[in-house]
């Protein structure tokens, strides 16, 4: 399911500012996009208040109005999305700023779109009525840590109000106007946080490469992201306060976002999104657990692509067959897991075997699974989950 028309091989309209310790400059960036801003962050992700204060002060110096909207606790309900969009309208905001992690940035994308359209969240994102959408209010995203490229891709997740089941929404109007990536904001991250986020980026990069919509441009971005993670993740975990390594990880995440904006996420993300919705796993943990198992499943159908991944992981593939080189890619990922002592089983996170059919059913409902290199029946999704259990 390509987000862009199928005649476009690559498009990435988002502006990026990528610099360590640039919080005091952010007002200067934002003033060129809007002069009345609503900062949107969920309560659970309003982190690093020292840096947030610097950012807010900078904004107040350069634009006419800044309001923090933090009335949403975690994943927003459809009603909360509508309320936030209404607040943005009556505030006469001409700029939405998303500050936080996965859910905050996701929510900001949806609110920016709703605020400039006379429609309810359910009609646009769940029922997907034939509504002629207008461009959103300009959106600026400031991730508090990398989120696997989702900070700069035109995708979002939405939760049903009745049973809180997750749904996937993609539209080129969800591209943010600007992403500001500042590794200093992520200074609160622990070694464990860095590990799961880094491996999540690795998994998202592999998903993008395996997509049947990938091409030379998207593959180049994803492969470079894999190289960066391979070289910087372990040092970043050993020294989580070192901003040089964290900055590299932010860069890898942006590269993956550029890639899957024109390519697609795939099976690993589908399984992880479903698992995080139905269990106590978060999406980053799920991505890290499921990546090797997804790679093993796709090995024979994507052997040529695995050779590229093996090279990016600095595996020696001279004088061996393509299949042997492809196996080296999976082995390279597992070496990283062993060095980082990352759990490789769902059961280690108290996921129950009884949960697996539900995860498989929900994962199979996501429309981007049509990007997979081989057809995937629901029973085979369950087989992958059982292998990962």
């Amino acid at each position: 399911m390509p987000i862009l028309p199928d005649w476009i091989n690559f498009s990435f309209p988002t502006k990026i500012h990528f610099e360590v310790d640039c919080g005091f400059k952010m007002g200067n960036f934002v003033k060129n996009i809007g002069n009345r801003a609503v900062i949107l962050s969920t309560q659970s992700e309003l982190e690093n208040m020292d840096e947030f204060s610097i950012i807010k002060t900078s904004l107040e110096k350069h634009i006419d109005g800044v309001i923090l909207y933090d009335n949403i606790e975690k994943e927003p309900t459809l009603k909360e999305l509508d309320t936030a969009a209404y607040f943005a309208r009556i505030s006469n905001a001409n700029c939405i700023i998303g500050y936080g992690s996965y859910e905050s940035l996701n929510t900001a994308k949806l609110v920016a779109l709703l605020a400039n359209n006379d429609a309810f969240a359910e009609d646009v994102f769940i029922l997907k009525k034939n509504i002629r959408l207008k461009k959103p209010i300009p959106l600026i995203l400031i991730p508090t840590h990398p989120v696997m490229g989702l900070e700069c891709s035109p995708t979002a997740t939405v939760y049903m109000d009745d049973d809180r089941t997750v749904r996937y929404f993609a539209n080129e109007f969800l591209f943010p106007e600007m992403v500001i990536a500042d590794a200093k904001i992520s200074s609160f991250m622990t070694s464990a946080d860095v590990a799961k986020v880094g491996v999540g980026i690795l998994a998202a990069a592999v998903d993008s490469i395996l997509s049947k919509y990938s091409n030379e441009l998207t593959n180049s971005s994803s492969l470079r992201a894999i190289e960066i993670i391979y070289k910087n993740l372990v040092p970043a975990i050993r020294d989580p306060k070192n901003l040089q390594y964290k900055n590299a990880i932010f860069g890898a995440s942006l590269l993956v976002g550029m890639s899957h904006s024109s390519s697609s996420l795939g099976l690993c993300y589908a399984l992880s999104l479903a698992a995080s919705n139905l269990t106590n796993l978060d999406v980053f943990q799920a991505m890290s657990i499921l990546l090797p198992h997804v790679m093993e499943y796709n090995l024979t159908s994507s052997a040529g692509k695995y050779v590229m991944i093996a090279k990016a992981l600095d595996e020696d593939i001279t004088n061996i067959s393509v299949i042997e080189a492809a196996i080296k890619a999976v082995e390279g990922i597992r070496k990283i897991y062993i060095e980082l002592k990352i759990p490789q089983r769902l059961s280690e996170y108290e996921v129950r075997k009884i949960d697996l059919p539900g995860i498989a059913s929900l994962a199979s409902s996501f429309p981007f699974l049509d990007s997979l290199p081989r057809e995937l029946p629901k029973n085979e999704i369950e087989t992958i989950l059982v292998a990962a259990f």
Side-chain angles (χ1 to χ4, degrees), residues 86 98 105 172 180 202-203 207 212 214 227 229 257 264 269-270 277 283-284 306 343 385-386:
Y86 176 72
L105 305 186
E172 60 185 306
I180 303 173
L202 198 62
D207 254 4
K212 68 183 182 184
S214 66
E227 290 175 0
I229 293 296
S264 175
Y269 183 61
N277 185 217
V283 70
F284 302 99
Y306 278 44
L385 289 168
V386 170

Side-chain angles (χ1 to χ4, degrees), residues 4 19 30 40 44 47 76 79 96 107 111 120 135 180 198 229 232 263 271 292 300 308 315 351 382 387 389:
L4 303 168
E19 180 186 5
V30 172
L40 196 151
S44 61
E47 299 170 297
K79 184 177 180 180
I96 301 288
T107 302
V111 170
F120 292 108
K135 287 185 177 181
I180 303 173
I229 293 296
N232 290 276
S263 177
L271 291 171
T300 54
M308 296 190 296
E315 291 289 321
V351 176
E382 281 194 52
F389 184 76

